[in-house]
Amino acid sequence: MKKIILSIATAIGIMAIVPTSVSAHCDTMDGPTVADGKKAMENNNVNYALKWVQLKDENEIKNVFKDSMKVRDLSPEAKVVAEKLFLETLVRVHRIAENAPFTGLKESGTTIDKKVLAADKSIEVGNLSPLKNMIEKEKSFELNKKFERVLALKDYDVNDVKAGREYIEAYVKFFKFAEGEEEHTQHHAL
């Protein structure tokens, strides 16, 4: 058990020295990837998190999840370290799949772009009104198309990881378009 805790602490230390660059929605403690990682740990069901990673990375996430769940109840300190390792690994692997840098998890309250917040709110309320006047008129047809795809895939069974990945692929494309990226270069093949 001490070996696992030492391995977890070492991994966190290594991730902490990675050079920093721009932040993104999914790498904040308030972001959807972390929220699903927390749900996975709370429910002892890694499927909440697997939708955020590609099939080829599934075993890495499952292994870190399993190790984190083994040690998290040993002490309050072990819980903090185990959760941090799992969440950082989940976000790092997700970001790599998007060809984006991982610079560590950003704390709660990190400033997030208004368009991203409005896109989140749009999914929550089921319409694009929060994004009104933020997107150029000529892009509204394509934005609506991407939004409708997200809504169509939103209510999947958490244990249907393939359906979850389809939802995340549509979700990422919607967000990238709403943020102004015309062509999301990563074909988020999860």
Side-chain angles (χ1 to χ4, degrees), residues 24-144:
H25 179 231
C26 64
D27 67 356
T28 68
M29 288 300 292
D30 300 323
T33 311
V34 169
D36 284 338
K38 287 179 178 180
K39 280 184 200 171
M41 295 189 95
E42 290 165 7
N43 293 291
N44 195 19
N45 183 350
V46 72
N47 291 338
Y48 283 97
L50 289 179
K51 67 184 178 192
W52 290 100
V53 300
Q54 294 182 3
L55 179 61
K56 70 179 183 63
D57 298 315
E58 190 170 298
N59 285 336
E60 179 181 0
I61 298 303
K62 284 181 175 179
N63 290 334
V64 172
F65 181 79
K66 187 175 92 181
D67 289 345
S68 295
M69 294 303 287
K70 276 185 200 174
V71 300
R72 73 188 288 251
D73 293 329
L74 295 177
S75 71
E77 295 83 9
K79 182 176 182 175
V80 169
V81 171
E83 289 178 357
K84 184 173 182 178
L85 174 66
F86 176 67
L87 296 174
E88 285 190 344
T89 302
L90 175 63
V91 173
R92 176 183 53 79
V93 170
H94 169 71
R95 300 274 297 155
I96 288 169
E98 291 189 305
N99 293 323
F102 176 68
T103 60
L105 288 176
K106 309 304 179 275
E107 61 189 48
S108 289
T110 298
T111 302
I112 297 172
D113 183 274
K114 289 178 184 179
K115 285 183 182 177
V116 171
L117 294 174
D120 260 338
K121 188 69 174 173
S122 292
I123 293 171
E124 182 185 321
V125 299
N127 64 64
L128 289 171
S129 62
L131 278 166
K132 188 178 180 180
N133 301 324
M134 290 186 173
I135 306 296
E136 296 84 9
K137 219 172 209 172
E138 63 273 1
K139 295 181 182 178
S140 62
F141 177 77
E142 186 65 25
L143 181 70
N144 191 60

Side-chain angles (χ1 to χ4, degrees), residues 122-126 149-157 167:
S122 292
I123 293 171
E124 182 185 321
V125 299
R149 176 93 174 126
V150 169
L151 291 184
L153 297 172
K154 183 180 175 187
D155 296 320
Y156 58 89
D157 179 343
Y167 169 72

